[in-house]
Amino acid sequence: GAGMGMTAPVSITAFPTEDGSFQQKVKVSLRIPSQYQDNPPCPSDESIKIEERQGMTIYSTQFGGYAKEVDYVSYAAKLRSALGSEAAYRKDLYLCNGYDPPMKPYGRRNEVWFVKE
């Protein structure tokens, strides 16, 4: 029954296919606000799980606009190209992050993260 409002970022874990597009499975993660961190409310929907994300080092790129799957795939490809073959990062997934509410038309911030191995 607790409302937590908009959290940022909204993080989607993408599992890329051979051609770089998303597989049918994705994982959407929302940050629990600070005041709920010690004792988060229990979800009433059993498909919602509370997980603790461990610290990580990432390679990141940022872009604006209303991001769609095609945008995340495109920027992931650009980041992959910029990193070249020397950087060690997880190839089985990457994170797509949006920081703005849907009603914000300008100055939007989106990021693609590759998790460093």
Side-chain angles (χ1 to χ4, degrees), residues 27-45:
K27 180 179 179 180
V28 178
S29 302
L30 305 171
R31 184 183 179 281
I32 295 175
S34 299
Q35 66 266 35
Y36 297 103
Q37 289 283 322
D38 290 337
N39 188 20
C42 294
S44 56
D45 181 334

Side-chain angles (χ1 to χ4, degrees), residues 61-76 78 96-97 100 107-112:
T61 189
Q62 183 176 327
F63 62 98
Y66 283 97
K68 299 178 216 43
E69 178 180 346
V70 67
D71 301 311
Y72 286 118
V73 169
S74 172
Y75 280 90
K78 290 176 185 178
C96 307
N97 301 284
D100 303 296
R108 298 181 63 80
R109 176 179 163 196
N110 309 290
E111 296 175 349
V112 172

Side-chain angles (χ1 to χ4, degrees), residues 11-15 22-29 69:
S11 186
I12 298 170
T13 303
F15 302 91
F22 292 2
Q23 290 183 22
Q24 289 299 310
K25 66 176 184 174
V26 295
K27 180 179 179 180
V28 178
S29 302
E69 178 180 346

